[in-house]
């Protein structure tokens, strides 16, 4: 069967990986005689990533480059790549070679068996700290618990998607894009293959714990109302305790009279309630902030330059997405 493949590669300060990535991926793709395009999104890198991509693109027209106007973050960079992709199948892949390109042929086989999404599940993560592994696994468990959609655990963005799925994702209007969630939300026939996740080839991860924490909040608030409901349940629990305590105090006073009124218990109650209120207001704030973000209706990303993207496709983009 003849088909065209698009690889979507977000890149942020990946100068040390670009060449090796290009070599390794081209080797796999050429060996299998695929008809492919590699869409590299330069996500506002501060190093020479863009210049190097440009050089490669001038010798190989299958390399297409989208230069974003600034750093928009991986999720948005990936969205940009998906919008420019033209393949019958699309595979987002990291530039640091943590996702082995050698898996692509087996993903394609699954697609040919009739699956729309083939995601790759890591069974081992090399070169990542113990804390990152533990927090990541906790996050996946938690999010699966509180959302209705089935976000597979230990699965990155590395997956094969059919054109139908990519179009569905492209047409989702939200600007808060937790891609893993969106990929699952659209549904279709999904399956998985397992692999060992390698350590980064070069460079450092750009996700520190603060970024990961925000990423987790994004994922949870994008797909679940549970935290909002938390306020209600906390309220119930606190009220019930308060009622029980009031009852005991009443009995106590009836039997023993009222000696010194309790300053400590008062203080604890006030502080506890204050804390609960602040937490719940904070949670509501998270959601309101997102509603505000969506209501601004800003474009997802701005493009400074594209290379090897044909004019026709660009015009189509302009009409479709009002870039
Ligand atoms: N990335 C990006 N924009 C960012 C941060 C990261 O496009 O703001 C890209 C990065 O170049 C890489 C991929 O996203 O190709 C994964 O990033 P990283 O390896 O830092 O994340 P990790 O593997 O630690 O989750
Ligand atoms: Mg990485």
């Amino acid at each position: 069967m003849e088909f065209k493949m698009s690889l979507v590669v977000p890149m942020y300060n990946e100068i040390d990986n670009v060449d090796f990535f290009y070599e390794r991926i081209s080797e796999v793709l050429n060996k299998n005689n695929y008809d492919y395009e590699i869409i590299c999104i330069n996500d506002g890198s501060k190093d020479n990533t863009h210049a190097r991509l440009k050089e490669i693109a001038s010798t190989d027209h299958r390399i297409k480059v989208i230069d974003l106007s600034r750093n928009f973050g991986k999720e948005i960079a990936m969205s940009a790549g998906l919008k420019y992709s033209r393949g019958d199948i699309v595979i987002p892949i990291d530039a640091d070679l943590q996702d082995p390109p050698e898996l692509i042929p087996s993903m394609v086989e699954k697609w040919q068996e009739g699956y729309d999404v083939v995601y790759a599940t890591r069974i081992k993560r090399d070169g990542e700290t113990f804390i990152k592994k533990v927090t990541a696994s906790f996050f996946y468990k938690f999010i699966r618990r509180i959302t209705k959609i089935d976000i597979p655990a230990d699965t990155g963005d590395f997956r094969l998607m059919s054109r139908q799925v990519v179009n569905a994702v492209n047409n989702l209007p939200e600007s808060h894009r937790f891609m893993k969630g969106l990929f699952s939300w659209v549904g279709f026939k999904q399956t998985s293959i397992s692999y060992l996740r390698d350590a980064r080839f070069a460079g450092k991860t750009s996700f520190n714990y603060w970024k990961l924490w925000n990423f987790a909040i994004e994922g949870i608030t994008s797909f679940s109302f549970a935290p909002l409901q938390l306020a209600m349940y906390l309220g119930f629990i606190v009220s019930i305790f308060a009622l029980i305590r009031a009852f005991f105090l009443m009995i106590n006073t009836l039997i023993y009279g009222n000696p010194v009124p309790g300053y400590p218990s008062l203080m604890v109650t006030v502080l506890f309630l204050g804390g609960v209120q602040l937490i719940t207001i904070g949670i509501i704030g998270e959601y309101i902030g997102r509603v505000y973000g969506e209501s601004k209706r800003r474009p997802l990303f701005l493009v400074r330059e594209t290379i090897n993207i044909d004019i026709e496709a660009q015009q189509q983009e302009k009409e479709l997405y009002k870039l």
Side-chain angles (χ1 to χ4, degrees):
M1 188 162 70
E2 280 296 308
F3 61 89
K4 190 177 159 97
M5 178 188 293
S6 302
L7 286 123
V8 170
V9 198
M11 293 191 185
Y12 177 59
N13 296 344
E14 297 285 7
I15 186 70
D16 295 332
N17 288 318
V18 172
D19 286 279
F20 191 68
F21 172 80
Y22 173 62
E23 253 168 54
R24 189 158 150 203
I25 199 123
S26 302
E27 195 192 305
V28 173
L29 298 176
N30 289 329
K31 206 167 66 193
N32 290 281
N33 281 324
Y34 291 136
D35 174 15
Y36 66 91
E37 61 175 2
I38 301 178
I39 303 185
C40 302
I41 305 97
N42 175 39
D43 187 16
S45 299
K46 294 186 181 67
D47 58 10
N48 288 325
T49 303
H50 185 55
R52 186 66 197 126
L53 282 175
K54 243 173 145 165
E55 274 169 29
I56 299 176
S58 66
T59 59
D60 185 344
H61 290 272
R62 290 170 300 191
I63 305 294
K64 305 186 171 177
V65 183
I66 299 164
D67 187 27
L68 299 184
S69 62
R70 63 171 169 84
N71 178 255
F72 281 89
K74 183 184 177 188
E75 309 293 299
I76 302 286
M78 211 156 46
S79 305
L82 292 183
K83 284 190 173 170
Y84 279 93
S85 69
R86 285 284 161 274
D88 302 301
I89 52 181
V90 181
I91 305 175
I93 182 168
D94 285 358
D96 57 10
L97 287 164
Q98 277 192 293
D99 308 321
E102 289 74 18
L103 278 188
I104 292 174
S106 33
M107 288 173 146
V108 171
E109 267 167 38
K110 287 272 183 196
W111 172 67
Q112 283 165 334
E113 282 170 25
Y115 289 98
D116 299 295
V117 179
V118 185
Y119 54 85
T121 305
R122 350 177 228 243
I123 46 181
K124 186 169 136 254
R125 291 174 156 212
D126 263 347
E128 287 179 0
T129 61
F130 176 71
I131 301 179
K132 175 146 182 192
K133 285 182 217 171
V134 170
T135 47
S137 113
F138 175 76
F139 169 67
Y140 286 119
K141 285 210 183 92
F142 184 68
I143 199 160
R144 279 166 73 88
R145 263 264 157 97
I146 66 166
T147 62
K148 289 200 185 68
I149 49 154
D150 190 21
I151 298 177
D154 286 325
T155 299
D157 298 311
F158 183 40
R159 63 186 69 209
L160 178 149
M161 288 174 283
S162 66
R163 175 51 39 197
Q164 219 181 353
V165 173
V166 173
N167 286 346
V169 172
N170 283 346
N171 284 328
L172 295 176
E174 59 243 74
S175 51
H176 284 273
R177 297 179 89 80
F178 179 69
M179 295 308 270
K180 276 190 245 258
L182 297 182
F183 290 154
S184 303
W185 182 88
V186 295
F188 294 95
K189 236 178 121 185
Q190 312 212 353
T191 186
S192 73
I193 51 178
S194 315
Y195 74 109
L196 305 175
R197 185 154 167 98
D198 292 329
R200 236 175 185 283
F201 176 67
K204 273 207 332 257
T205 173
S206 48
F207 287 87
N208 53 33
Y209 283 104
W210 179 243
K211 269 199 185 174
L212 284 174
W213 166 251
N214 283 318
F215 182 67
I217 291 184
E218 189 75 65
I220 292 163
T221 50
S222 298
F223 286 96
S224 169
F225 289 126
L228 280 177
Q229 291 160 337
L230 182 80
M232 194 171 71
Y233 293 110
L234 271 179
F236 275 137
I237 292 170
V238 172
S239 316
I240 288 169
F241 273 116
L243 276 178
I244 295 173
R245 178 137 174 76
F247 180 72
F248 277 111
L249 279 179
M250 217 164 73
I251 305 287
N252 209 39
T253 318
L254 283 178
I255 300 174
Y256 301 107
N258 187 9
V260 190
Y263 171 74
S265 61
L266 196 74
M267 212 50 205
V268 167
T269 317
V270 168
L271 286 180
F272 179 64
L273 280 181
V276 168
Q277 283 165 356
L278 281 180
I279 291 172
T280 50
I281 289 174
I283 292 171
I284 294 170
E286 286 287 340
Y287 283 91
I288 293 185
R290 277 172 179 76
V291 172
Y292 175 57
E294 297 293 347
S295 71
K296 285 186 285 197
R297 301 185 141 268
R298 288 199 186 128
L300 274 185
F301 54 86
L302 294 173
V303 177
R304 202 167 64 92
E305 180 184 26
T306 60
I307 299 163
N308 290 346
I309 301 258
D310 58 79
I311 309 282
E312 202 181 314
Q314 266 188 35
Q315 253 150 13
Q316 261 178 8
E317 291 307 321
K318 283 214 172 87
E319 276 166 32
L320 264 174
Y321 304 111
K322 302 192 183 72
L323 294 176

